[in-house]
Every structure is written in structure tokens, then in C-alpha cells.
């Protein structure tokens, strides 16, 4: 399935804090992908079918997803669509076998960021993954009076530095990354917490976090103008 490479594999800086989800039904491919990703310093979680993969992608904040197109239970395109519809901006690299006559554009239209055809050199996959994670990790958002640096987690308001905890930052970052998109509490919880955290979190916890973020970023937290409550649905960042 893979073509071995004759040139040495160059690691372009380790990404030890980055978590990748592999959704791939063929065990042999998963093992090769995992080995190369781990060699490049990524932490890796795996799903061998679409349904489990989507559930994991919704429950945990990944830095990137490597998504096979043809999967049992739920296909890669549908997973991609559902993640994007749910407001997830996680970078997605889609993989497909050459025999699958699916136009590259369909994958990109479904919301994939990149697209690789099998068989591929694992080095190519790693290079694309690193490029996407870097791009994703170094975006700076300018929204209203706020500047949000996703790489350093620094937030400023009219040039003044604000202090946010990681959870507060993750919530603000999720909301501000997609202005005017309404996030449910559940979606915000999955954006806010990394794997290994206690998943038994109540809606009120998110409400409390939103309250604390408002206190930090709003002129008047009692009358917010950035993070708005959408009754019965959740929260949105109003552009
Ligand atoms: Ca497959």
C-alpha cells in the first residue's frame, strides 16, 4: 500500500503537544501512519470505523484529523460535513484510494483542508500534516477590539493584554474563529477541553466559563456586545 522512500525522513521540529486523530479502517495503514506521526512527535488516537471516529472527533479537541474516505458505518465525506456543520475548524486531511472515483473537489467542498491519494509516501502525509498544523496553530484573529493569537494564546483588547486561562481561551477562540455561528454548549465543551479531562461537565459549567470570559473581554459583562446568548441554542460571537 505504501511506497517506501529511498531518501531519509527529515523531522521538521517535533510537535509533542499536538494530538492527531486517525480515522482509518485498514489496520496496516493505520499502523504506518501512527508510526510516522509519532516519529514526527505527534500524539495519536485511532478509530477503525466512521461512527467511532466522528464520536471521538466531537468529544475531543484534536489538532488535526487524518480521515479515510471509504469507511465502514459512516463515510469520510459525511464525517467531514458533520464536523463543519457543527462548527469545528479542525484541519482535516482526507485520504482516498486511487480506485475510488471521487473528485478531489468533493472532498474539499465537504470541508477537507487537504487531500492525498493512496498509495502515498508517508513522508508526504507527514509534510502536509505539519504544514496544516503550523498554519492552524499560528493564525491571529482580529475581531472587534480583540486580537487573538492562536499560537501563543495571547489576547489583547485595544492593544491591552488580557489574561485568560486555557479553558477560557479555548472557548473564546472557538467562538471568535467563527463569528455569528451559534455554538451549542456541548460544542463549546468539546472545543474547550482536551482529552483526558473529566467529560462529566454540565451546561452550567460552560455558562460559568462564558460569564468569566465576558468579565475579561466585555466593557460591561452584564450587557455583553461580543459573546451573545442565543436562547435555547447556545452562544455566538457577534462580529
Ligand atoms: Ca478505507
Amino acid at each position: 500500500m505504501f511506497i517506501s522512500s529511498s531518501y531519509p525522513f527529515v523531522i521538521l521540529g517535533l510537535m509533542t503537544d499536538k494530538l492527531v486523530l486517525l480515522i482509518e479502517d485498514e489496520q496496516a495503514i493505520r499502523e504506518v501512519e501512527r508510526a510516522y506521526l509519532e516519529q514526527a512527535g505527534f500524539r495519536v488516537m485511532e478509530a477503525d470505523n466512521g461512527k467511532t471516529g466522528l464520536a471521538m472527533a466531537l468529544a475531543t479537541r484534536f489538532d488535526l484529523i487524518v480521515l479515510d474516505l471509504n469507511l465502514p458505518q459512516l463515510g469520510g465525506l459525511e464525517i467531514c460535513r458533520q464536523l463543519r456543520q457543527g462548527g469545528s475548524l479542525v484541519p482535516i486531511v482526507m485520504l482516498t484510494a486511487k480506485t475510488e472515483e471521487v473528485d478531489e473537489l468533493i472532498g474539499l467542498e465537504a470541508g477537507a483542508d487537504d487531500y492525498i491519494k493512496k498509495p502515498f509516501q508517508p513522508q508526504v502525509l507527514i509534510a502536509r500534516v505539519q504544514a496544516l498544523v503550523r498554519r492552524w496553530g499560528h493564525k491571529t484573529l482580529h475581531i472587534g477590539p480583540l486580537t487573538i493569537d492562536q499560537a501563543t494564546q495571547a489576547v489583547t483588547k485595544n492593544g491591552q493584554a488580557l489574561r485568560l486561562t486555557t479553558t477560557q481561551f479555548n472557548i473564546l477562540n472557538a467562538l471568535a474563529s467563527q463569528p455569528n455561528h451559534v455554538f451549542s454548549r456541548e460544542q463549546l465543551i468539546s472545543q474547550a477541553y482536551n482529552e483526558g479531562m473529566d467529560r462529566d461537565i454540565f451546561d452550567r459549567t460552560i455558562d460559568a466559563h462564558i460569564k468569566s470570559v465576558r468579565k475579561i473581554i466585555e466593557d460591561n459583562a452584564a450587557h455583553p456586545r461580543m459573546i451573545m446568548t442565543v436562547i435555547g441554542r447556545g452562544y455566538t460571537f457577534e462580529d
Side-chain angles (χ1 to χ4, degrees):
M1 190 60 69
F2 288 89
I3 302 165
S4 68
S5 172
S6 55
Y7 56 83
F9 175 45
V10 180
I11 298 172
L12 302 165
L14 291 175
M15 298 197 173
T16 45
D17 59 329
K18 302 297 181 188
L19 182 63
V20 173
L21 173 62
L22 292 179
I23 311 180
E24 168 65 67
D25 56 320
E26 284 179 62
Q27 193 188 345
I29 298 181
R30 269 205 321 277
E31 282 172 6
V32 174
E33 289 173 348
R34 173 188 274 275
Y36 273 81
L37 284 164
E38 286 182 347
Q39 193 188 347
F42 292 97
R43 292 181 298 135
V44 177
M45 290 175 76
E46 297 177 4
D48 65 0
N49 70 74
K51 221 172 151 182
T52 306
L54 178 62
M56 288 170 74
L58 291 172
T60 300
R61 194 170 169 275
F62 289 97
D63 294 290
L64 185 132
I65 298 175
V66 178
L67 179 60
D68 187 32
L69 181 76
N70 195 8
L71 290 162
Q73 296 189 36
L74 191 64
L77 284 177
E78 190 51 34
I79 292 174
C80 210
R81 286 198 190 101
Q82 288 198 28
L83 287 172
R84 295 307 186 224
Q85 278 165 13
S88 170
L89 295 170
V90 62
I92 297 175
V93 177
M94 198 170 265
L95 302 183
T96 182
K98 224 174 185 174
T99 49
E100 292 163 349
E101 293 285 325
V102 171
D103 195 299
E104 182 172 331
L105 287 175
I106 296 176
L108 300 179
E109 274 168 22
D113 296 280
D114 207 344
Y115 194 94
I116 301 175
K117 277 188 177 152
K118 295 177 188 171
F120 56 90
Q121 294 186 331
Q123 291 87 345
V124 170
L125 173 68
I126 299 303
R128 302 273 188 95
V129 166
Q130 286 177 325
L132 270 175
V133 168
R134 279 215 184 81
R135 211 162 77 203
W136 162 251
H138 286 77
K139 217 158 73 178
T140 302
L141 302 174
H142 301 277
I143 183 158
L146 301 183
T147 300
I148 301 168
D149 186 330
Q150 295 176 332
T152 61
Q153 298 203 351
V155 180
T156 61
K157 181 181 177 185
N158 298 321
Q160 299 275 70
L162 304 178
R163 288 177 67 109
L164 282 84
T165 66
T166 297
T167 301
Q168 290 167 346
F169 178 87
N170 289 342
I171 291 170
L172 174 63
N173 186 39
L175 288 164
S177 296
Q178 271 194 292
N180 305 321
H181 177 87
V182 179
F183 286 82
S184 69
R185 287 174 172 80
E186 203 160 70
Q187 285 165 355
L188 285 177
I189 288 168
S190 71
Q191 297 282 328
Y193 294 93
N194 285 307
E195 44 130 14
M197 296 285 296
D198 183 6
R199 303 289 310 157
D200 188 20
I201 299 158
F202 298 98
D203 284 356
R204 271 172 300 167
T205 310
I206 272 293
D207 293 344
H209 285 310
I210 291 282
K211 205 171 163 186
S212 67
V213 173
R214 279 177 173 153
K215 273 187 191 150
I216 297 167
I217 68 166
E218 301 278 359
D219 292 337
N220 180 353
H223 298 283
R225 303 190 61 179
M226 289 187 263
I227 298 180
M228 309 304 285
T229 305
V230 183
I231 292 166
R233 292 176 63 199
Y235 293 99
T236 187
F237 195 104
E238 208 160 88
D239 195 0

